[in-house]
Amino acid sequence: MKSSSMTYWEQIVEKPKHFIQQIIEEDIKSGKHGGKVVTRFPPEPNGYLHVGHAKSIILNFGMAKQYNGVCHLRFDDTNPMKEEMEFVESIKNDVKWLGYDWGDKLFHASDYYDQLYDFAIVLIKKGLAYVDSTSIDEMRDQRGTLTKPGVESRDRNRSIEENLDLFTRMKAGEFEDGKYVLRAKIDMTSGNLNMRDPTIYRIRHAHHQMTGDKWCIYPMYDYAHSLSDAIENITHSLCTLEFQDHRPLYDWCIEHCNPPGKPQQIEFSRLNLSHTITSKRKLKMLVDDKHVDGWDDPRMPTLVGLRRRGIPPAALHQFCDMIGITRSDSVINMSVLEECVRNELNQHAPRAMAVLNPIKVVIENYPEDKVEILNVAAHPNDPQLGSREIHFSREIFIEADDFMIDAPKDFHRLTVGKEVRLHSAYIIKCEKVITDPTTGNIIELRCSYDPATLGKNPEGRKVKGVIHWLSIKHAKTATVRLYDRLFNTENPGAEEDFTPFLNPNSLQTVEKCFIEPSLTNAKPEDRFQFMRLGYFCLDRHSSSTELVFNRIVNLRDSWTAKA
Ligand code: ATP
Ligand code: MG
């Protein structure tokens, strides 16, 4: 994706093609698949999508876009026990949020149940599938190991007629769950365990969200997936590396069922991100055990979570472009994603001022009733983002830690007798600190301002520090949520139990902080840079009476420095 954030060199030096682009280009050249490119993103609707899925979505839709092809959105809905419409809808929203449109190419594996059944009949008739009554436990024992060949089932040599009869009766609902399965007859001694007569159909008397009660036998993933690809005339079936050992079975199904299409499975390495988990099952545990406030908690690596946090989709595109497509497994540090987010927001987020931990400053030589309205650019380099009005008056808030009583020499903010610039306004000088006589706590600062310094430094005057501020009379209030990483360890997914590694400080809520009035016009999901504090996003669920801003990222990578 070309973005204006690319450097001059990045724009003129073409990035080398990754291996999938190379394969596709060769296939187009050789006329394989008639020169067409048809990809698919095949989620199972059993949970919310996460950042890893974004890599797959961007790859599949991206390849189709780049090579004038199409990308299908197909729900691999072969397990009615775990799938729900709620997930279907959220997945569609996530794909759209990433900027993709599947047009009329929305499919479900369940659309093909009739065809998949017919293919199974073909396999039985060819003597390549049999109905087996072996129990699950027995089957597991008979499967063998990598060093020990499997044992053939006693039902393996059933006659074709008997298999046809039993399979038809399985479909008709004559048998209870688990009584029989249909297995492909391949090779119980194969070095690849997936080829040791895998189950391709099982009995499940379960209601399916698309087909209702029509079926009580459901196809297994490998069988349904390969043939669904073929039925849709997918040309390049891009999936993650863990499916590599399934490829012989994928190819076997296509070879022996002889569907119209001849898709090619190509594997790439999955995205693993540090300090978080990318397994739907484990993410569900975080939600179910209430470690987070739901699937869209802004700390979650789900796409709904990232969206609510305020991560722009363009940053995810930039990130995926940066990490590239390879076949080597690695864990990408979260800082890489955060840097893409900063890069994107630095260019596009309007600036605003907020004070999270205020102390009061009284500017003694500023008239009591005077108010100045300053017109300040929303962005230092992008005039198209317009401007905003900021009020200046005698009493202002500054951030408590921008003042120090006994400041070291290199403290360039405010201290008694020293000057500092108020952003977009005047230079002020601290004259006096008023403290509580019993506690010693600072109550307020007494300052003076120099009227000749509005927005500029007079000749020969050096003021190093610039701080943010708000007019007390005009400031509005908001709640701010400061997020940190959800886990304290790099690879929580590798831990048996990840709960001890949850970061207890991953959320800090500042109930009442102050914001400039222009922010009350913000719409949910609008993003800003709060000067010197980080990038923030108005929460999607924020109401107009109580504004809630989520911190997306800090201005700088404080984490890598800490680690
Ligand atoms: P999980 O293991 O979290 O349940 P899954 O792989 O089972 O995820 P699917 O719905 O089957 O989830 O995934 C849809 C597609 O997304 C698959 O093609 C899968 O290869 C891809 N995918 C899943 N996780 C990642 C990841 N971390 N990086 C890249 N692609 C991924
Ligand atoms: Mg899967």
Side-chain angles (χ1 to χ4, degrees):
M1 194 172 130
K2 275 236 157 73
S3 91
S4 50
S5 68
M6 290 172 102
T7 63
Y8 174 73
W9 288 107
E10 280 169 329
Q11 286 182 38
I12 62 163
V13 180
E14 207 180 328
K15 236 183 136 172
K17 302 258 160 63
H18 59 63
F19 78 100
I20 294 181
Q21 287 168 317
Q22 290 174 17
I23 293 173
I24 294 178
E25 289 185 12
E26 276 160 28
D27 289 348
I28 292 174
K29 225 195 276 163
S30 72
K32 190 176 170 185
H33 312 294
K36 288 206 182 101
V37 175
V38 186
T39 56
R40 85 288 170 266
F41 173 62
E44 188 182 348
N46 61 351
Y48 284 79
L49 298 184
H50 53 64
V51 63
H53 293 113
K55 176 174 177 178
S56 179
I57 294 171
I58 290 172
L59 175 64
N60 279 293
F61 279 91
M63 289 302 93
K65 200 164 171 180
Q66 182 176 356
Y67 296 108
N68 292 319
V70 284
C71 180
H72 299 184
L73 174 59
R74 182 197 325 132
F75 289 101
D76 252 321
D77 53 355
T78 50
N79 186 356
M81 317 293 280
K82 289 193 178 156
E83 296 160 4
E84 287 171 32
M85 268 335 239
E86 176 195 350
F87 301 135
V88 170
E89 288 312 313
S90 81
I91 290 170
K92 286 190 202 165
N93 281 334
D94 288 341
V95 174
K96 281 190 219 153
W97 178 66
L98 284 172
Y100 296 114
D101 180 2
W102 53 86
D104 57 357
K105 308 293 182 199
L106 174 65
F107 304 109
H108 301 82
S110 56
D111 297 340
Y112 313 129
Y113 279 174
D114 284 305
Q115 280 152 287
L116 296 175
Y117 178 81
D118 292 344
F119 284 134
I121 299 285
V122 170
L123 290 180
I124 295 174
K125 286 186 176 161
K126 285 185 175 177
L128 291 174
Y130 59 98
V131 172
D132 194 357
S133 63
T134 308
S135 71
I136 293 185
D137 290 340
E138 223 179 326
M139 218 185 279
R140 197 177 302 124
D141 293 342
Q142 291 183 354
R143 198 164 176 233
T145 62
L146 284 176
T147 50
K148 200 173 103 200
V151 176
E152 292 187 357
S153 156
R154 59 181 175 272
D155 291 342
R156 197 172 199 259
N157 295 314
R158 244 190 240 289
S159 70
I160 291 176
E161 290 67 36
E162 207 182 336
N163 280 319
L164 283 174
D165 173 59
L166 282 171
F167 190 54
T168 319
R169 288 164 60 198
M170 277 167 68
K171 179 187 182 224
E174 272 188 41
F175 311 115
E176 75 268 25
D177 290 6
K179 172 108 172 114
Y180 290 111
V181 293
L182 183 71
R183 291 176 77 174
K185 191 170 179 176
I186 308 180
D187 179 4
M188 287 307 289
T189 65
S190 170
N192 183 336
L193 293 175
N194 295 302
M195 298 299 269
R196 294 187 186 172
D197 290 12
T199 297
I200 57 176
Y201 265 94
R202 58 185 173 167
I203 303 174
R204 277 281 179 285
H205 289 269
H207 186 85
H208 187 282
Q209 74 271 18
M210 295 300 289
T211 57
D213 297 315
K214 177 171 174 194
W215 294 90
C216 61
I217 53 170
Y218 289 96
M220 300 299 285
Y221 180 83
D222 286 314
Y223 173 79
H225 186 76
S226 54
L227 292 169
S228 302
D229 278 350
I231 290 168
E232 289 178 18
N233 284 303
I234 299 298
T235 57
H236 301 84
S237 178
L238 313 177
C239 63
T240 34
L241 278 177
E242 68 269 24
F243 291 104
Q244 182 163 285
D245 290 344
H246 297 243
R247 190 181 345 128
L249 178 54
Y250 183 100
D251 290 341
W252 186 92
C253 292
I254 288 168
E255 182 190 341
H256 296 287
C257 295
N258 201 23
K262 296 281 177 276
Q264 180 191 356
Q265 174 176 309
I266 305 167
E267 308 89 15
F268 63 96
S269 63
R270 58 191 287 130
L271 166 62
N272 302 306
L273 200 56
S274 76
H275 301 95
T276 192
I277 45 184
T278 45
S279 143
K280 282 187 214 159
R281 188 177 56 81
K282 291 183 178 167
L283 291 171
K284 189 169 181 318
M285 282 161 66
L286 284 175
V287 175
D288 290 347
D289 299 344
K290 304 226 173 340
H291 296 300
V292 293
D293 305 324
W295 288 99
D296 72 345
D297 184 301
R299 289 166 293 182
M300 289 282 272
T302 50
L303 297 184
V304 281
L306 298 178
R307 175 172 181 176
R308 188 163 166 213
R309 174 80 165 255
I311 307 243
L316 285 173
H317 284 272
Q318 215 182 93
F319 174 65
C320 288
D321 195 47
M322 186 183 275
I323 61 176
I325 298 292
T326 68
R327 285 177 55 85
S328 40
D329 261 320
S330 63
V331 179
I332 310 286
N333 200 293
M334 181 76 92
S335 306
V336 178
L337 172 59
E338 288 169 346
E339 202 47 39
C340 293
V341 173
R342 269 184 217 110
N343 190 22
E344 181 62 30
L345 293 174
N346 183 35
Q347 291 178 70
H348 302 298
R351 274 46 171 175
M353 291 197 281
V355 176
L356 302 196
N357 180 21
I359 43 171
K360 182 175 167 183
V361 172
V362 179
I363 303 167
E364 291 179 310
N365 60 339
Y366 197 87
E368 291 222 1
D369 306 328
K370 186 169 171 182
V371 174
E372 278 174 275
I373 297 181
L374 311 173
N375 204 277
V376 180
H379 193 281
N381 312 319
D382 187 354
Q384 285 192 351
L385 289 176
S387 62
R388 63 203 210 266
E389 289 184 344
I390 297 175
H391 303 79
F392 191 82
S393 69
R394 181 180 158 90
E395 295 188 348
I396 62 171
F397 282 139
I398 66 167
E399 213 68 65
D401 62 9
D402 280 337
F403 174 80
M404 263 179 102
I405 294 184
D406 296 313
K409 240 186 144 169
D410 58 354
F411 185 76
H412 297 305
R413 291 165 278 167
L414 201 57
T415 182
V416 181
K418 289 272 170 61
E419 292 187 321
V420 79
R421 168 166 292 288
L422 297 177
H423 188 269
S424 299
Y426 299 99
I427 292 176
I428 57 168
K429 179 178 178 188
C430 184
E431 308 289 351
K432 191 162 61 180
V433 192
I434 300 192
T435 50
D436 184 312
T438 47
T439 64
N441 290 342
I442 297 172
I443 298 174
E444 62 182 43
L445 307 178
R446 294 277 163 165
C447 294
S448 61
Y449 88 115
D450 181 345
T453 58
L454 181 60
K456 61 174 195 291
N457 277 349
E459 282 269 322
R461 205 81 162 263
K462 265 204 234 135
V463 178
K464 273 203 175 152
V466 181
I467 62 173
H468 58 277
W469 56 277
L470 287 172
S471 161
I472 295 180
K473 218 184 325 192
H474 302 93
K476 307 286 181 198
T477 58
T479 297
V480 158
R481 298 198 192 114
L482 303 174
Y483 293 106
D484 202 343
R485 297 199 178 150
L486 190 50
F487 290 97
N488 276 329
T489 182
E490 244 190 54
N491 192 359
E495 304 293 340
E496 184 100 349
D497 172 14
F498 56 63
T499 44
F501 300 96
L502 282 161
N503 175 3
N505 303 316
S506 61
L507 167 62
Q508 187 197 336
T509 305
V510 188
E511 292 289 348
K512 190 179 170 207
C513 64
F514 297 91
I515 56 172
E516 63 173 73
S518 71
L519 285 172
T520 55
N521 298 324
K523 289 187 286 305
E525 300 199 325
D526 279 354
R527 306 175 183 95
F528 302 89
Q529 184 193 98
F530 287 179
M531 304 195 69
R532 304 176 62 234
L533 296 175
Y535 293 99
F536 290 75
C537 166
L538 185 61
D539 193 272
R540 295 177 75 174
H541 305 318
S542 181
S543 72
S544 56
T545 48
E546 203 217 343
L547 296 178
V548 179
F549 288 92
N550 300 324
R551 181 157 69 192
I552 312 169
V553 278
N554 286 321
L555 289 182
R556 265 168 234 96
D557 181 4
S558 54
W559 191 276
T560 310
K562 253 193 265 173

